[in-house]
């Protein structure tokens, strides 16, 4: 499934639904740039039908800023 971005709802002025995002998409500098723009403009991104792996989650999180170690040891 190719990457697609659509409004969350035609009745809402915020939010986007991101579908089909995979790790290789994040290697294209235009994709992280677009994800950041969508987030800043819409305030909410919902990811569906995307790759599911711990590494992908970490890489996707880095799109939105530097990661921080959780302050509570049992959640690290």
């Amino acid at each position: 499934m190719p990457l697609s971005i659509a409004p969350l709802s035609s009745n809402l002025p915020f939010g986007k639904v991101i579908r089909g995002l995979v790790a290789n998409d994040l290697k294209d500098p235009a994709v992280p740039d677009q994800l950041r723009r969508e987030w800043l403009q819409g305030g909410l991104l919902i990811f569906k039908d995307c790759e599911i792996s711990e590494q992908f989650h970490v890489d996707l999180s880095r799109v939105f800023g530097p990661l921080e170690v959780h302050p509570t040891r049992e959640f690290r």
Side-chain angles (χ1 to χ4, degrees):
M1 167 183 275
L3 173 65
S4 69
I5 300 175
L8 179 60
S9 169
S10 60
N11 301 331
L12 298 173
F14 64 89
K16 296 289 176 101
V17 178
I18 313 296
R19 292 184 185 273
L21 186 67
V22 296
N24 277 341
D25 294 332
L26 298 177
K27 293 177 183 176
D28 177 354
V31 173
D33 288 347
Q34 183 178 16
L35 292 174
R36 279 189 294 275
R37 276 193 313 275
E38 297 291 351
W39 176 55
L40 291 171
Q41 292 171 357
L44 172 71
L45 299 180
I46 296 175
F47 294 89
K48 293 187 173 190
D49 305 320
C50 297
E51 184 172 322
I52 299 174
S53 73
E54 286 182 20
Q55 187 60 52
F56 176 71
H57 183 86
V58 169
D59 294 342
L60 178 58
S61 297
R62 284 190 174 114
V63 166
F64 302 101
L67 304 184
E68 295 184 18
V69 175
H70 197 284
T72 306
R73 207 170 269 204
E74 60 265 15
F75 292 109
R76 290 186 193 166

